[in-house]
């Protein structure tokens, strides 16, 4: 798959429609202070492959460069200020090139995933803090694709979820499906994974409960900007065991969540096997695997996001996703 630039514009479009990475035009170039960190990913070789890895990148970002065009690339180091361009979609044979460009603005690594599938109540200590029973099967819900937000761009609290405050943070490990997956087993589930990234499963609690939303989760978690992801997708070879990772969330510099993916009730292979029963998980599908203890609504007094806040979500070996909070 290749990208083309219409004459006389500063936007790039993928020549193949429906790609989870390339189906939106690049934003116009603008100056922005990067609000992110990146840690734990070894960049020992620019061209990284293994017998198990079908990709020739070890990690990738999606970004706007100084020329105003959108690219995929493998970052050269932890600063994320430059990257070697990946020609084409990273999940569809995109080739890592020698071309080095500067990063002007980071974008969400996936523009519009075909599905955003989420697992609820998937950490033992989180189930305990909510007073709910440990589920016997994964609790599944979906988020609207318009929830995707870029690193550093604001989480927007809609007016219908602003009074009284109710918007909460949730640090999550994200699985990125790399090839069509149906009826996977626990034993081969990770073969379908391209890599992992970070997400904040932002949630409006009164809409999620009986007060406004009738105890459903999808709408309460699907307001625009309620799924920041990124800044990096890290290849699965960097993370051989996704259930041995630290993850955390800080709010205005104060640690609110600090746990490990080892506390998951259903581990990553189990989740993939469960979701793919009789169901095809398309390439580019992302799976949010649940949040640990420490969410705002369980605290006394409760802690919710308010305009002016800055929330940071981190996962070991992947990086840190930062977003400010504003009102609609």
């Amino acid at each position: 798959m290749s990208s083309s630039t219409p004459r006389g514009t500063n936007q790039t479009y993928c020549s193949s429609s429906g790609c989870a990475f390339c189906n939106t035009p690049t934003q116009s170039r603008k100056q922005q202070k990067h609000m992110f960190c990146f840690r734990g990913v070894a960049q020992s070789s620019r061209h990284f492959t293994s017998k198990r890895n079908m990709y020739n990148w070890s990690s990738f970002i999606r970004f706007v460069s100084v020329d105003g065009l959108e690219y995929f690339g493998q970052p050269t180091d932890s600063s994320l200020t430059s990257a070697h361009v990946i020609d084409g979609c990273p999940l569809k044979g995109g080739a890592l090139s020698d071309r080095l460009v500067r990063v002007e603005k980071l974008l969400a690594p996936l523009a519009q995933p075909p599905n955003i599938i989420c697992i609820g109540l998937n950490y033992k200590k989180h189930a305990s803090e909510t007073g709910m029973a440990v589920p016997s099967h994964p609790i599944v819900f979906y988020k609207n694709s318009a929830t995707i937000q870029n690193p550093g761009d604001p989480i927007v609290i809609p007016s219908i979820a602003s009074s009284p405050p109710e918007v909460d943070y949730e640090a999550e490990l994200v699985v990125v499906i790399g090839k069509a997956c149906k009826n996977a087993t626990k034993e081969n589930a990770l073969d379908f994974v391209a890599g992992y990234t970070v997400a904040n499963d932002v949630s409006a609690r009164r809409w999620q409960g009986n007060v406004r939303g009738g105890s459903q989760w999808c709408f309460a978690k699907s307001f625009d900007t309620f799924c920041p992801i990124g800044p990096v997708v890290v290849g699965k070879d960097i993370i051989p065991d996704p259930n041995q990772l630290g993850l955390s969330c800080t709010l205005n510099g104060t640690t609110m969540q600090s746990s490990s993916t080892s506390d998951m009730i259903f581990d990553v292979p189990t989740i993939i096997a469960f979701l793919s029963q009789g169901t095809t998980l398309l390439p580019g599908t992302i799976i949010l695997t649940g949040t640990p203890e420490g969410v705002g609504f369980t605290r006394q007094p409760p802690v919710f996001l308010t305009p002016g806040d800055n929330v940071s979500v981190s996962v070991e070996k992947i990086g840190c996703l930062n977003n400010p909070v504003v009102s609609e």
Side-chain angles (χ1 to χ4, degrees):
M1 182 176 62
S2 61
S3 295
S4 58
T5 306
R7 187 180 301 274
T9 74
N10 67 343
Q11 296 181 327
T12 58
Y13 297 84
C14 177
S15 59
S16 174
S17 62
C19 177
F21 297 88
C22 312
N23 59 1
T24 56
T26 299
Q27 299 177 16
S28 297
R29 182 179 68 192
K30 62 174 70 174
Q31 297 289 335
Q32 174 175 321
K33 180 180 179 181
H34 292 314
M35 304 176 64
F36 60 85
C37 61
F38 179 77
R39 57 191 176 208
V41 178
Q43 297 291 336
S44 58
S45 173
R46 186 169 59 80
H47 293 277
F48 179 90
T49 59
S50 77
K51 292 180 181 179
R52 296 187 300 110
N53 188 8
M54 61 183 291
Y55 312 105
N56 70 343
W57 46 264
S58 60
S59 64
F60 72 84
I61 56 176
R62 176 173 158 260
F63 61 96
V64 177
S65 188
V66 293
D67 57 9
L69 302 180
E70 178 183 322
Y71 298 93
F72 296 102
Q74 179 166 290
T76 56
D77 57 37
S78 61
S79 70
L80 301 186
T81 55
S82 63
H84 288 279
V85 172
I86 297 173
D87 292 321
C89 175
L91 296 189
K92 295 184 177 180
L96 188 61
S97 74
D98 292 325
R99 184 183 177 192
L100 183 66
V101 296
R102 199 172 85 189
V103 176
E104 179 80 357
K105 173 180 170 53
L106 286 168
L107 304 174
L110 298 93
Q112 287 188 323
N115 280 295
I116 305 172
I117 310 175
C118 309
I119 306 298
L121 212 67
N122 194 34
Y123 282 72
K124 301 179 187 72
K125 293 178 182 178
H126 177 52
S128 176
E129 74 176 349
T130 64
M132 301 177 70
V134 172
S136 56
H137 302 284
I139 298 172
V140 181
F141 63 94
Y142 288 72
K143 292 175 81 90
N144 177 20
S145 61
T147 58
I148 294 292
Q149 181 58 304
N150 300 318
D153 283 355
I155 296 166
V156 181
I157 298 176
S159 57
I160 60 171
S162 62
S163 183
E166 62 171 291
V167 176
D168 210 344
Y169 52 82
E170 292 191 4
E172 308 217 5
L173 169 70
V174 177
V175 178
V176 180
I177 297 297
K179 57 183 179 179
C181 173
K182 183 176 182 179
N183 295 327
T185 65
K186 294 180 184 179
E187 291 71 29
N188 70 5
L190 297 185
D191 293 344
F192 298 93
V193 174
Y196 304 92
T197 190
V198 182
N200 188 344
D201 178 18
V202 184
S203 308
R205 299 302 187 190
R206 289 165 67 86
W207 283 98
Q208 187 177 357
N210 287 320
V211 176
R212 289 173 170 167
S215 296
Q216 58 72 41
W217 293 13
C218 294
F219 187 68
K221 292 170 173 279
S222 285
F223 295 119
D224 291 353
T225 74
F226 269 30
C227 190
I229 60 171
V232 183
V233 171
V234 173
K236 66 178 179 181
D237 282 6
I238 301 295
I239 302 175
D241 186 353
N243 284 101
Q244 295 295 327
L245 301 172
L247 74 167
S248 64
C249 176
T250 63
L251 180 60
N252 301 323
T254 300
T255 299
M256 310 302 286
Q257 295 179 284
S258 181
S259 187
S260 169
T261 56
S262 63
D263 191 49
M264 284 187 189
I265 297 167
F266 306 103
D267 64 14
V268 170
T270 300
I271 291 170
I272 295 171
F274 181 86
L275 293 175
S276 66
Q277 296 175 103
T279 303
T280 300
L281 305 179
L282 297 172
T285 293
I286 63 174
I287 304 170
L288 279 63
T289 56
T291 197
E293 76 278 7
V295 294
F297 85 93
T298 65
R299 294 175 174 269
Q300 296 300 326
V303 176
F304 295 117
L305 301 180
T306 58
D309 285 345
N310 189 281
V311 60
S312 302
V313 175
S314 300
V315 178
E316 183 183 0
K317 295 185 179 181
I318 302 175
C320 179
L321 170 68
N322 293 337
N323 295 92
V325 180
V326 301
S327 59
E328 189 174 46

